[in-house]
Amino acid sequence: MNMFKQKKSLGQNFLINDKILPEILKAAEIKKDEVIIEVGPGLGILTSALLDKGAKVWAIEKDFELIETLKKALGHHKNLKIIHQDALFFDLSTLKKYKVVANLPFNIASPLIRKFLESANQPELMVVMMQKEVAEKIVAQPGNSERGILTLAVEFYADAEIITDVPKISFRPQPKVDAAVIKIKPYPHFGSEGKQVEPELFFKIVKAGFSAKRRQIHNSLEATLKIDKNVVIDILKKSKIDPMLRAEDLSLKEWLNLCQAVAKDDILKTNE
Ligand code: SAM
């Protein structure tokens, strides 16, 4: 570690407090021989702990310098596959059953989570560390101003809960912000709730709803989807949603009702 010059652009804040590891392993319910994808193994602190549990670890690391270090430290391990790649471009289709356990690079935590959840080949479970603020956005309930597109993108596919907070002094170099470990469990068979609504429509409506966060939902939908005010009010009422609410006030169920009503009345098509 002494010789290694940390690359800020790759979110390299290495975990130095190993007391957090048992909590991560417990939340991930690691079983012998199961495949774990670890994004950003870094110097291998979590990788080692996963291997000690008997998991088969596929460690995807973008930084070539760290790949070399990791190979020296853990390369002999028969259960470890070290992959030199940008995890955002990693092809998930070849995987069978797998979990994701990682201390994510903070700067790309959201796109990484969405990549896994939106894939046709979702993980069974994700237990990941990320910036606390982002974790709190993911679990923000209706009425919380932190609730946004990321919240809904996770809720559409999975249940999420924060397992524990991790203070910034647990990392070297120390980041500016605290972290949290979050457990994300995709619903079986692509969403017991979400499956009645096409993802494309869901994200179109949610994005439109959040386009002007502080405005009332009917205003954002009208402006972004270019639909007549009366039609929007009518569809919101049919979905049992108060048009004066803001996007952050709506539950997943309400967004799904809204999408179903939009699809049923074919509002978007008639407007194109
Ligand atoms: N797992 C280590 C730990 O807990 O100490 C390192 C975690 S550090 C927060 C994030 C790691 O992700 C770094 O090793 C960094 O080089 C790597 N990384 C950053 N961007 C990446 C990407 N797009 N794909 C794969 N690895 C990436």
Side-chain angles (χ1 to χ4, degrees):
M1 180 134 185
N2 293 339
M3 299 296 290
F4 182 77
K5 188 160 182 334
Q6 166 254 7
K7 299 176 189 71
K8 248 190 175 171
S9 62
L10 292 179
Q12 289 176 348
N13 301 101
F14 301 103
L15 188 65
I16 52 164
N17 172 6
D18 57 10
K19 290 200 183 74
I20 192 69
L21 294 173
E23 285 194 70
I24 296 177
L25 298 174
K26 188 170 167 230
E29 301 162 41
I30 309 286
K31 289 176 211 78
K32 196 172 174 310
D33 287 337
E34 71 182 354
V35 173
I36 304 292
I37 296 289
E38 186 191 2
V39 175
L43 298 162
I45 181 169
L46 176 58
T47 323
S48 287
L50 290 165
L51 290 168
D52 287 347
K53 279 273 171 194
K56 291 190 168 147
V57 184
W58 293 29
I60 309 170
E61 175 58 62
K62 186 173 176 182
D63 185 349
F64 184 68
E65 230 184 304
L66 283 175
I67 293 272
E68 292 298 298
T69 312
L70 199 63
K71 274 187 183 157
K72 275 188 200 133
L74 296 173
H76 60 280
H77 219 295
K78 67 173 179 12
N79 277 353
L80 176 63
K81 190 162 158 178
I82 299 173
I83 301 163
H84 180 210
Q85 204 189 335
D86 182 333
L88 285 170
F89 298 101
F90 182 72
D91 176 11
L92 300 173
S93 66
T94 57
L95 290 161
K96 294 206 176 86
K97 215 170 155 194
Y98 71 101
K99 292 177 181 170
V100 178
V101 182
N103 174 13
L104 297 176
F106 286 5
N107 50 339
I108 53 164
S110 308
L112 278 169
I113 288 174
R114 292 193 61 173
K115 172 187 169 77
F116 283 104
L117 288 180
E118 290 168 23
S119 151
N121 189 19
Q122 288 178 326
E124 216 185 316
L125 182 68
M126 297 177 79
V127 176
V128 287
M129 189 151 23
M130 67 183 76
Q131 189 175 332
K132 184 178 170 191
E133 231 172 73
V134 179
E136 284 173 345
K137 272 190 208 301
I138 290 177
V139 299
Q141 295 299 302
N144 182 334
S145 62
E146 291 304 312
R147 194 169 168 81
I149 295 174
L150 177 63
T151 322
L152 270 308
V154 174
E155 278 187 2
F156 186 69
Y157 294 106
D159 275 330
E161 64 170 312
I162 291 183
I163 299 296
T164 186
D165 291 346
V166 187
K168 56 187 170 203
I169 52 163
S170 313
F171 304 90
R172 189 178 298 146
Q174 194 171 305
K176 289 202 176 72
V177 292
D178 291 328
V181 176
I182 193 166
K183 177 171 176 169
I184 299 175
K185 172 109 186 121
Y187 308 128
H189 315 301
F190 183 167
S192 45
E193 295 206 66
K195 68 182 171 189
Q196 302 114 11
V197 171
E198 286 301 319
E200 201 189 326
L201 176 66
F202 180 78
F203 287 109
K204 186 168 187 170
I205 301 287
V206 167
K207 242 173 117 181
F210 279 100
S211 59
K213 228 180 155 223
R214 312 309 304 165
R215 292 175 82 182
Q216 293 175 350
I217 183 79
H218 75 94
N219 275 324
S220 315
L221 294 175
E222 279 158 42
T224 314
L225 299 174
K226 306 205 173 11
I227 300 176
D228 179 76
K229 181 176 182 169
N230 294 329
V231 177
V232 171
I233 302 265
D234 178 55
I235 209 85
L236 284 165
K237 287 194 172 149
K238 277 185 187 159
S239 318
K240 303 202 169 30
I241 297 167
D242 177 352
M244 316 276 267
L245 291 176
R246 291 179 183 154
E248 69 202 33
D249 297 321
L250 270 56
S251 67
L252 172 67
K253 187 87 191 84
E254 287 171 317
W255 284 110
L256 294 173
N257 288 347
L258 177 58
C259 292
Q260 281 168 339
V262 166
K264 188 164 173 264
D265 287 10
D266 216 4
I267 292 181
L268 296 180
K269 279 233 176 75
T270 47
N271 235 279
E272 273 162 8

